[in-house]
C-alpha cells in the first residue's frame, strides 16, 4: 500500500480534529479551519487543544506550530484560466530579446559577439596550445619538473632567436600557424 | 512481394502501410506539386516544410525560441540561435541548417540566404509517466516531456514588420464601424 502525497498528514489530522470537535459541540459555529466569531483564534482554540486524542501523539509536536499557521497559509483560491496563464507567459518581458551585438569575425568569418572572443578562433588556438602542452609534458617527464627559465615554441625550420638565449625550447613538428606571430 | 509488384503493376515502388508507420502532415506538405505557372503570373516563391519529431524538450520552452525566429531571415535566425543559451536553440539551429540544405538541393532555391521563416511552430510529442520519489516514502508522478518542432521557409526577403496599431488607427476603424451600420427590420 503506497501513500499518495496529496494532503499533508498534519492537515488531515487537523481536519479530523475539527470535525471531532463539531460533533462534540465545543465550537458550534466553526467548520474546517475558519476562526470562531466570538474571539481571537489563539485564545479560544487553546483550551480546546488540551484534551488531545490518543491517536495524535505523533502529530502533537507539529500541530501547535502548524495549527495557527494553517489559517494564513497561502493557497490559490481559483484555478488560473488558460487566458490568464497565456497573458503571463507571453508577456514581452518573458519573451527572448533579440540580440543586436552579433558581428562577423574578421579572421575566420564566423559569427561572434562583440565583447566575446570568436569561438572558432579560440578553439583553434586551444587545440594548438594543447599540443604544445603535450610536448612540454613529454620533455619534463613528470610533475613538478617545470624549469625556472622561460619557454620558447619553435616550428619547423626555425632557429632560436639571439635574444632568447637561455630559454627552454619546445619544438612543434609543423609549419608555424599564421596567427602565431614570432615576436 | 517485390516480384508480384513487378509483374502486376507498372510502378516499381508502392507505399505500403508497413513502411515507416505514419508520415506526418507536415512532411506531406513538401510533396504537393503545383501545375506549371502561366507566363503572365508572378513567380510563386518556393516553400520548404521541415520538422523534427520527439525532441527531448518542453513544448512551452521551445515556443519561446520559435517565437523569437518567426518572421526573421534565415541568417539572422541562425545568428540569434547561435548565441542563445537554451537547449532547444541548438536543435532548432540544426533543423534550420537541414532545411536550408534541402531547399538548395531539392527545392530549386538559388541563394541559400534568400530564405525567410514564414512559420515556426512547436507541438506536443509523446509523454511518458514516471515515478518521482519524494521524502517520507511519498511519491509523485512526473511526465517525461517531448516536443516536435515545425518550420516553413519561404524564398525571398523577410516581409517588413507590421507597424504597431496607433490610437489614430483604432479611432479610424471605430468611425468606419459606425458608418457601416445599417438599419435592420425597417423599410
Amino acid at each position: 500500500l503506497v501513500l499518495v502525497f496529496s494532503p499533508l498528514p498534519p492537515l488531515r489530522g487537523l481536519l479530523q480534529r475539527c470535525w471531532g470537535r463539531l460533533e462534540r459541540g465545543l465550537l458550534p459555529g466553526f467548520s474546517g479551519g475558519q476562526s470562531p466569531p466570538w474571539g481571537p483564534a489563539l485564545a479560544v482554540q487553546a483550551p480546546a487543544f488540551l484534551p488531545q486524542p490518543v491517536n495524535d501523539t505523533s502529530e502533537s509536536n507539529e500541530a501547535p506550530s502548524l495549527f495557527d499557521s494553517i489559517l494564513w497559509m497561502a493557497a490559490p483560491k481559483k484555478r488560473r484560466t488558460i487566458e490568464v496563464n497565456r497573458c503571463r507567459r507571453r508577456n514581452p518581458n518573458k519573451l527572448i530579446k533579440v540580440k543586436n551585438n552579433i558581428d562577423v569575425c574578421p579572421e575566420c568569418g564566423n559569427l561572434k559577439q562583440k565583447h566575446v572572443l570568436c569561438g572558432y578562433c579560440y578553439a583553434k588556438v586551444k587545440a594548438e596550445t594543447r599540443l604544445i602542452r603535450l610536448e612540454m609534458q613529454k620533455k619534463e617527464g613528470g610533475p613538478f619538473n617545470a624549469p625556472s627559465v622561460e619557454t620558447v615554441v619553435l616550428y619547423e625550420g626555425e632557429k632560436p632567436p639571439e635574444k632568447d638565449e637561455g630559454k627552454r625550447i619546445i619544438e612543434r613538428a609543423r609549419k608555424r600557424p599564421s596567427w602565431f606571430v614570432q615576436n | 512481394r517485390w516480384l508480384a509488384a513487378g509483374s502486376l503493376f507498372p510502378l516499381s515502388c508502392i507505399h505500403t502501410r508497413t513502411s515507416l508507420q505514419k508520415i506526418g502532415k507536415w512532411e506531406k506538405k513538401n510533396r504537393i506539386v503545383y501545375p506549371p505557372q502561366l507566363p503572365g503570373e508572378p513567380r510563386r516563391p518556393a516553400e520548404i516544410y521541415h520538422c523534427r519529431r520527439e525532441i527531448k524538450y518542453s513544448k512551452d520552452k521551445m515556443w519561446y525560441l520559435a517565437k523569437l525566429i518567426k518572421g526573421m531571415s534565415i541568417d539572422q535566425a541562425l545568428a540569434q540561435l547561435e548565441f542563445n543559451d537554451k537547449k532547444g536553440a541548438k536543435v532548432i539551429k540544426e533543423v534550420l541548417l537541414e532545411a536550408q540544405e534541402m531547399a538548395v538541393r531539392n527545392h530549386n532555391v538559388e541563394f541559400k540566404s534568400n530564405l525567410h521563416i514564414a512559420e515556426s511552430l512547436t507541438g506536443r510529442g509523446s509523454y511518458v509517466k514516471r515515478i518521482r520519489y519524494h521524502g517520507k516514502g511519498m511519491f509523485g508522478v512526473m511526465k517525461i516531456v517531448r516536443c516536435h518542432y515545425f518550420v516553413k521557409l519561404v524564398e525571398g526577403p523577410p516581409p517588413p514588420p507590421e507597424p504597431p496599431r496607433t490610437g489614430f488607427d483604432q479611432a479610424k476603424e471605430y468611425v468606419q464601424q459606425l458608418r457601416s451600420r445599417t438599419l435592420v427590420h425597417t423599410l
Side-chain angles (χ1 to χ4, degrees):
Chain A
L1 192 71
V2 193
L3 295 163
V4 184
F5 189 60
S6 13
L8 283 160
L11 178 57
R12 208 193 293 133
L14 164 70
L15 286 170
Q16 283 169 4
R17 265 177 275 126
C18 288
W19 284 117
R21 256 180 251 111
L22 269 176
E23 286 168 55
R24 273 174 263 148
L26 274 167
L27 300 163
F30 178 56
S31 63
Q34 294 157 21
S35 61
W38 60 83
L42 293 164
V44 180
Q45 282 153 18
F49 214 66
L50 288 168
Q52 291 207 13
V54 191
N55 309 334
D56 300 324
T57 42
S58 59
E59 297 163 302
S60 57
N61 297 328
E62 312 159 286
S65 57
L66 272 171
F67 182 63
D68 303 324
S69 65
I70 219 79
L71 296 173
W72 66 72
M73 190 89 79
K77 192 72 176 175
K78 281 278 179 193
R79 183 206 154 118
R80 280 165 157 181
T81 58
I82 185 66
E83 294 89 5
V84 166
N85 280 338
R86 281 202 192 116
C87 286
R88 183 185 66 252
R89 289 170 192 162
R90 298 186 183 189
N91 189 25
N93 75 352
K94 295 238 169 130
L95 299 176
I96 307 177
K97 291 173 193 60
V98 177
K99 293 192 177 144
N100 60 359
N101 53 356
I102 301 176
D103 270 334
V104 177
C105 170
E107 301 290 321
C108 60
N110 292 84
L111 295 165
K112 73 182 267 296
Q113 284 195 299
K114 285 182 192 161
H115 59 293
V116 180
L117 299 173
C118 166
Y120 186 79
C121 300
Y122 179 62
K124 222 171 28 174
V125 172
K126 212 168 149 181
E128 181 62 29
T129 323
R130 181 180 155 269
L131 295 171
I132 293 172
R133 282 192 185 137
L134 287 177
E135 292 278 324
M136 284 159 81
Q137 278 174 16
K138 264 190 272 175
K139 207 164 189 183
E140 287 169 12
F144 309 111
N145 292 347
S148 50
V149 291
E150 286 178 24
T151 314
V152 165
V153 181
L154 295 178
Y155 288 89
E156 268 170 8
E158 281 176 20
K159 286 188 297 276
E162 293 77 28
K163 58 185 176 93
D164 301 335
E165 282 303 294
K167 294 188 183 170
R168 162 174 77 145
I169 293 169
I170 301 283
E171 309 265 299
R172 281 275 298 124
R174 57 158 284 189
K175 187 168 72 80
R176 179 166 281 263
S178 55
W179 46 264
F180 197 161
V181 174
Q182 197 171 17
N183 298 340
Chain B
R1 188 161 47 95
W2 60 270
L3 271 171
S7 57
L8 290 169
F9 304 99
L11 301 159
S12 54
C13 97
I14 300 167
H15 295 288
T16 56
R17 204 62 69 89
T18 53
S19 66
L20 265 191
Q21 298 175 15
K22 258 204 170 191
I23 303 185
K25 291 199 276 192
W26 200 261
E27 287 92 332
K28 284 192 207 155
K29 288 190 187 225
N30 266 334
R31 297 191 192 175
I32 56 163
V33 181
Y34 294 99
Q37 285 192 292
L38 306 166
E41 274 182 57
R43 191 183 169 120
R44 188 186 291 118
E47 292 178 345
I48 301 100
Y49 294 87
H50 193 43
C51 66
R52 191 179 280 203
R53 304 277 182 182
E54 307 285 330
I55 305 166
K56 180 65 198 76
Y57 201 47
S58 157
K59 70 167 164 47
D60 298 312
K61 297 176 193 169
M62 192 69 118
W63 181 84
Y64 286 111
L65 291 159
K67 177 81 183 157
L68 173 70
I69 61 173
K70 230 180 256 191
M72 282 187 182
S73 69
I74 196 159
D75 291 332
Q76 196 191 1
L78 289 167
Q80 293 296 319
L81 292 169
E82 191 169 327
F83 296 106
N84 190 302
D85 299 321
K86 292 186 175 268
K87 173 170 149 181
K90 206 167 153 187
V91 174
I92 294 184
K93 201 167 155 219
E94 286 169 20
V95 173
L96 285 181
L97 290 168
E98 276 175 18
Q100 198 182 40
E101 187 71 16
M102 264 166 55
V104 172
R105 229 180 314 141
N106 308 341
H107 292 80
N108 187 28
V109 164
E110 201 179 343
F111 303 110
K112 68 176 191 178
S113 289
N114 199 22
L115 294 161
H116 70 271
I117 292 157
E119 288 168 21
S120 87
L121 316 161
T122 53
R124 171 194 189 282
S126 58
Y127 290 0
V128 179
K129 290 195 191 170
R130 292 280 179 269
I131 296 182
R132 189 215 184 264
Y133 300 96
H134 291 263
K136 291 192 178 183
M138 304 291 204
F139 73 96
V141 176
M142 77 169 167
K143 295 187 291 191
I144 297 196
V145 145
R146 276 179 274 211
C147 67
H148 307 309
Y149 178 68
F150 309 97
V151 73
K152 170 179 166 185
L153 299 172
V154 170
E155 200 174 2
E162 275 183 28
R165 276 190 79 187
T166 59
F168 185 72
D169 289 326
Q170 284 177 319
K172 226 168 43 165
E173 273 193 29
Y174 177 62
V175 169
Q176 187 66 39
Q177 260 183 4
L178 291 175
R179 285 198 177 139
S180 61
R181 289 178 299 184
T182 50
L183 299 165
V184 288
H185 305 316
T186 52
L187 299 160

